[in-house]
Amino acid sequence: MKYDLLGIGNALVDIEVHVDDAFIEQNSLVKGGMTLLSLENQQKILKELHGLSTKISSGGSAANTIHGLSVLGGKAYYFGRVANDIYGKHYAADMMSCGVGFSGTGNGATSTTGTCVILVTPDSERTMLTHLGVSSSLHPDNVDEEPIENSTMVYIEGYLWTGEDTRKSAEKLALFAKKNKIPVAFTLSDAFVVNSFKKQLLDFIQQNVDILFCNEIEARAMAGTENTQEAFDVLKGIVETIFITRGAYGSWASSADEDKIAVKVFPTKAVDTTGAGDLFAAGALYGIIKNYTLQESAIIGSYCASEVVSQMGGRMPVGSDPDAEKIIQKYQKL
C-alpha cells in the first residue's frame, strides 16, 4: 500500500481535565509545558483530580499529525507502541477508525500504555504530565523498511529524543528515508526537549531534515535568542523549509522558493490548545504532499489548528472531511 505520510512517535492516551490556575501553582507545575512523570506520581495527580470531569482520547504529537492528515483525506501509517490493555486497544481502534496503518498493540501483560494527563486552564492553555509507559520501548527493530519505501514523506517528533532507543528508532527511520530519497519532516515538540537535547537535535536536523515545524518558544530556544524574527532567520539557514507557529499571531514559513510568508489564524473560540501545533503540521504537510504552494499549505495548517482548538482533545473529529480548496477560499475572505 502507498502512503502519503508515515510518522513515528510516542503513542499516548490523553486524559484531559479542566483545572484552575491555582492547581498548577499548588503543584509547582510549569504551565504550558510538558513534564515526564513516573506512573506513581502521575497517579497522585489524578487522585487530586478525582471527581472532576475528564475526557479520554488517543494522543501523541506525531500521532495527532498522522491522524489529522488521514482526516484530510491522505493515506498514512504510524510507528508507535501501546500495550495490550484497555488504553492500548482504544488507541488501536482509534487509528483504525480513520484508516491509519498502525504497527499494533501488545508488549506483555505487565506493560501499560503511555498516558498524558493534560491540565487545561481557563485561558485554554494546556500543561502536560506524561508517563511514557510502553511507548518508551519503541525500538529500532520496530522500524520496518517496507512502509517507509512506500511513503511520499516521513514525519518524526522531537519527543523521541527523551529515550535512547526511541531516538535510535527515529534516526533509523530518517536513514531509511534518505536512502530512498524520501523527504523528512520533523517537529521540535517542546522547549523542554530543545533545552535538554539541543546539540543532538541540531546535528540531526542539519543532516536529515527537509521540513521543520516549531512554535516560537521552541524556535527561540533552538536559535539561542529571545527574538522570534532572529530565530526564524537562524533556522531557515539550517533547513530548507520551516514553519513557525505563533499562536494568535498566525504563522511564518520559508522555503527555497519563498523567503518568508505570513499566514493569519482562522477566527475561532479556543477551548483547548492541545494539538494545535500537531494539526497545523497535518494541514501543512497535506498541502505540500498534494503540491499546494507554501502559503496555501500554511493556510490549510492554520485551518486545522483552528478546528482542533475549538474542542476538547488533540485530534480533528473523524468525518469532518475538510476540503483544501474550500479552506483556501475561506481564508481569502478573512
Side-chain angles (χ1 to χ4, degrees):
M1 185 174 182
K2 296 291 185 180
Y3 302 103
D4 294 307
L5 185 65
L6 179 147
I8 188 170
N10 289 318
L12 304 170
V13 169
D14 293 337
I15 305 168
E16 298 192 63
V17 192
H18 280 285
V19 300
D20 55 24
D21 288 300
F23 185 87
I24 304 293
E25 295 170 5
Q26 288 165 6
N27 286 277
S28 301
L29 302 174
V30 179
K31 185 177 179 180
M34 190 281 287
T35 304
L36 291 175
L37 294 180
S38 66
L39 181 60
E40 181 184 10
N41 287 336
Q42 190 191 65
Q43 290 295 325
K44 286 180 180 178
I45 292 288
L46 284 171
K47 284 181 180 178
E48 291 184 44
L49 298 169
H50 181 70
L52 295 179
S53 176
T54 61
K55 178 181 178 180
I56 308 297
S57 59
S58 301
S61 176
N64 290 341
T65 299
I66 293 297
H67 186 278
L69 182 123
S70 182
V71 174
L72 285 164
K75 298 294 183 183
Y77 191 93
Y78 182 68
F79 286 125
R81 300 298 301 276
V82 294
N84 192 25
D85 57 10
I86 293 174
Y87 283 148
K89 290 173 182 176
H90 170 86
Y91 196 98
D94 200 17
M95 285 300 211
M96 289 175 61
S97 71
C98 65
V100 173
F102 181 46
S103 54
T105 61
N107 216 58
T110 59
S111 301
T112 59
T113 296
T115 48
C116 180
V117 175
I118 301 177
L119 307 175
V120 183
T121 40
D123 58 0
S124 302
E125 186 61 88
R126 82 283 184 274
T127 302
M128 299 180 291
L129 309 174
T130 303
H131 167 62
L132 292 173
V134 76
S135 74
S136 63
S137 73
L138 182 67
H139 189 275
D141 290 345
N142 302 132
V143 179
D144 182 10
E145 189 166 2
E146 183 179 353
I148 302 170
E149 291 174 337
N150 290 310
S151 299
T152 300
M153 187 179 295
V154 301
Y155 183 68
I156 299 169
E157 67 175 54
Y159 284 128
L160 294 175
W161 265 248
T162 61
E164 185 176 359
D165 282 342
T166 53
R167 173 183 55 78
K168 288 180 179 178
S169 300
E171 291 171 341
K172 182 178 179 180
L173 173 58
L175 183 65
F176 278 164
K178 285 300 179 184
K179 185 177 78 172
N180 289 284
K181 296 184 165 74
I182 296 168
V184 175
F186 184 75
T187 173
L188 289 178
S189 294
D190 194 282
F192 155 76
V193 175
V194 176
N195 291 325
S196 301
F197 306 99
K198 185 173 178 178
K199 185 180 186 306
Q200 291 180 19
L201 289 171
L202 183 59
D203 290 343
F204 178 81
I205 291 167
Q206 289 175 321
Q207 294 171 23
N208 299 285
V209 175
D210 301 288
I211 304 169
L212 179 66
F213 290 90
C214 53
N215 63 31
E216 54 187 338
I217 298 172
E218 296 155 4
R220 293 196 296 260
M222 178 59 77
T225 176
E226 293 300 314
N227 184 282
T228 302
Q229 179 63 60
E230 289 179 4
F232 182 74
D233 292 339
V234 169
L235 294 179
K236 73 179 184 178
I238 295 171
V239 67
E240 183 173 303
T241 301
I242 182 170
F243 293 90
I244 294 184
T245 54
R246 305 176 59 237
Y249 297 101
S251 61
W252 291 344
S254 175
S255 70
D257 301 319
E258 296 271 5
D259 184 55
K260 180 182 178 183
I261 63 105
V263 167
K264 298 178 292 186
V265 297
F266 278 78
T268 190
K269 181 180 179 181
V271 173
D272 172 14
T273 58
T274 304
D278 303 333
L279 270 296
F280 178 92
L285 289 173
Y286 179 87
I288 291 171
I289 291 166
K290 299 301 181 182
N291 296 314
Y292 285 90
T293 67
L294 184 71
Q295 183 177 44
E296 289 169 339
S297 298
I299 288 170
I300 300 169
S302 180
Y303 173 84
C304 292
S306 72
E307 284 291 288
V308 78
V309 302
S310 67
Q311 56 157 25
M312 283 289 285
R315 295 194 172 175
M316 282 205 303
V318 174
S320 58
D321 195 26
D323 180 88
E325 293 294 337
K326 291 180 180 178
I327 291 169
I328 294 166
Q329 291 171 11
K330 185 177 181 180
Y331 181 83
Q332 292 168 348
K333 296 177 183 178
L334 293 180

